[in-house]
Amino acid sequence: MSQIVRVALDVPLHRYFDYLVAGGERVTTADVGRRVQVPFGRRTMVGIIVELPAASDLPSEQLRPIEGVLRDLPGLPDDWLRLAEFCAGYYHAPPGQVMLATLPVALRSLPSPKRPRPPARATVRAAGEQTLPELRAEQQAVLAAIRQAGPGFHSFLLHGVTGSGKTEVYLRLIECSLLAGKQALLLVPEINLTPQLEARVAARFPAVALVSLHSGLGEAARQRNWQAALTGTARIVLGTRLAVFAPLPALGLIIVDEEHDPSFKQQDGIRYSARDLAVFRARQLAIPIVLGSATPSLESWANASGDAGRNRYRLLSLRERAVAGARLPLVRRIDTRLDRAEDGLSSALRVALGQRLQCGEQSLLFLNRRGYAPVVGCPACGWTSGCPRCAAHLVLHLRDRRLRCHHCGFAVPVTKACPTCGNQNLIAFGRGTQRLEATLAELFPQARVLRVDRDSASTRQQWEALAARIERGEADILVGTQMLAKGHDFPRLTLVGVVAPDAALFAADWRAGERLFAQLMQVAGRAGRAERPGEVLIQTQFPEHPLYQALVEHDYPSFAAVQLAERRQAGFPPYAYQAVLRAEAREMDEALVFLTSARALALELGSAAVTAYDPVPMRLARRANRERAQLLVESGSRRALQAFLSTWQLRLVALKLPAQLSWHLEVDPLEL
């Protein structure tokens, strides 16, 4: 009887494929997890062996033989295969696409004799004597609680105010993992957070092999680092969300820093949450996981605070700053109804900036809107700079004289006259970071103003150069978006000004308040992290709003309690579980007709535990000349929702679709 191998392939089908082993080749259990070349249609593909079944559901004469097992690398560990299968099952994605998408590009391609595999290696520096920082009592208590929990799966939510020494706790835990002969995985939300943290980890463990994994790496570097993780050469892996899939044969600890950050949720392709997969992976391996944040996600907070009977995580707290003498910054609200913000800046904020300049201290102005102005308009006829491909405005970028869409990338030169009436007196409405930068240069000509956003720091190298300038004291006033809001430590920075935060208070997105609080708490935490006292000025027309009051008091628990009470009353997550079906088409009617049919299928399934709402256009209803609509399904039971989605998806796949219509299903969406 011929031997059979079951293979995962990078195709949009929710199944594996069986092949025969022929030509005298023998496949053993040691080959499970290895890559294999197989014929598929008229081409040859690289897949992953997931199983050696005793028999196939298909007759052997319908099975094609494999072309060869690729044994240049060890097989992917069994726990990695189970992680990928869980991801595929929970997020209802094709398992082969999940598995192959996590591999470096060269490893999912047919091997080329001209392209040798790069050797697996990791960064190791010469070890020297180190003086470790003295732990505060709170840090010692946190470490003791984690160590006393003993072996096995334990999930901890570490709630620590900004500058409280969470990173030092991480380093001590990594040290314990290394001493036990285990690997450690440290996840961060964004690429620009990795250089500073990587340098700190490398300095603490100079004789330990460390690699990073993120999308900013070149393909050769990513493959090299990935192989170092797989072979066990790397003992510490630091990376962004994709690193949750790093193959680690001796993983003993997972840490997720800034666990609340939306960047941990993939927004295209396979829409997974790296944080949630990290928790699953820790449970599967029976190892501890630490989720750290100054502003935990409300889902995590509910899991740790005993809310609604939840006690899935153990809550640990760091309430004070780690540096001796460092205190949380004083937060003040500037009522712009009384102190009008001319050119975006109130008189109180202007005075505070001038005082910092006189003292030789740095200031940061936070405005989460890049470009010069969000829209250009004609006061004569009402024309505005709309994107021809999206239901959005073109943003004025004055530096390069372009109008740009921040959604699809469309760009045109700045028009000199209104295209509708010919009026040359066009007006730039609102302000972005470029306009604020220009205003500051006029107000404080002696100051060195440095703008940090996706336009000035589009690559890791550009960001590192800007960060080095800040640390060397070559900037007096920083103007930044959320890129500067978290994870950075600038000792000379003592003032943070928040320029225009109010719009998020009344946004249609019910998560907007949670995100705004997290952003403002994080950016406020940049002030006064050393011995110098810090101050935060928030310009607002709603100074009495409870969100701002909680910020003034640095009181995340009270803010979270109010938010969770509102969500419980409204039936929003974490008190309900959601999935959204999105469709894109050339015409909105096509998308809505498909979603209406999908809802009819949902109703036919007759699940009393699941509610399917009416299809509606998305808030950004058109992007890149594609009309977009969505259908929300919801349940009070995660299990009921998952069972429904499994059946519903099979019915959706069988629907006949118009040409050019595409759809995808997202579980636990962060944006609706």
Side-chain angles (χ1 to χ4, degrees), residues 35 46 73 76 80 99-110 115 117-118 213 218-228 230 242 245-247:
R35 294 168 301 123
V46 171
L73 291 173
L76 292 156
W80 186 94
M99 293 183 184
L100 275 298
T102 66
L103 303 186
V105 171
L107 297 183
R108 43 184 140 124
S109 307
L110 295 174
R115 185 178 57 200
R117 304 294 185 204
L213 287 172
E219 277 304 320
R222 185 190 165 201
Q223 182 180 345
R224 200 164 48 238
N225 293 355
W226 187 91
Q227 289 181 204
L230 172 65
L242 188 60
F245 291 103

Side-chain angles (χ1 to χ4, degrees), residues 590-601:
E590 292 180 341
L592 291 174
V593 166
F594 165 74
L595 292 177
T596 300
S597 300
R599 183 173 185 268
L601 290 178

Side-chain angles (χ1 to χ4, degrees), residues 284-306:
Q284 176 189 221
L285 291 173
I287 61 173
I289 181 170
V290 177
L291 311 175
S293 177
T295 54
S297 68
L298 291 178
E299 287 83 357
S300 294
W301 188 258
N303 283 335
S305 60

Side-chain angles (χ1 to χ4, degrees), residues 17 100 107 134 144 190 195 207 234 275 310 318 326 328 331 342 345 350 380 410 424 459 469 543 562 573 581 608:
F17 300 87
L100 275 298
L107 297 183
E134 185 176 348
E190 295 184 11
R275 178 201 62 201
R310 301 164 182 254
L318 295 172
L328 290 171
V331 180
E342 296 184 11
L345 300 174
R350 294 175 189 225
F410 177 83
Q424 295 186 1
T459 67
R469 289 179 59 187
V562 171
L581 177 65

Side-chain angles (χ1 to χ4, degrees), residues 618-632:
M618 294 176 63
R619 272 182 307 196
L620 185 63
R622 186 177 75 256
R623 185 175 69 184
N625 289 326
R626 301 278 287 170
E627 301 291 335
R628 311 188 318 150
Q630 64 186 17
L631 163 63
L632 177 69

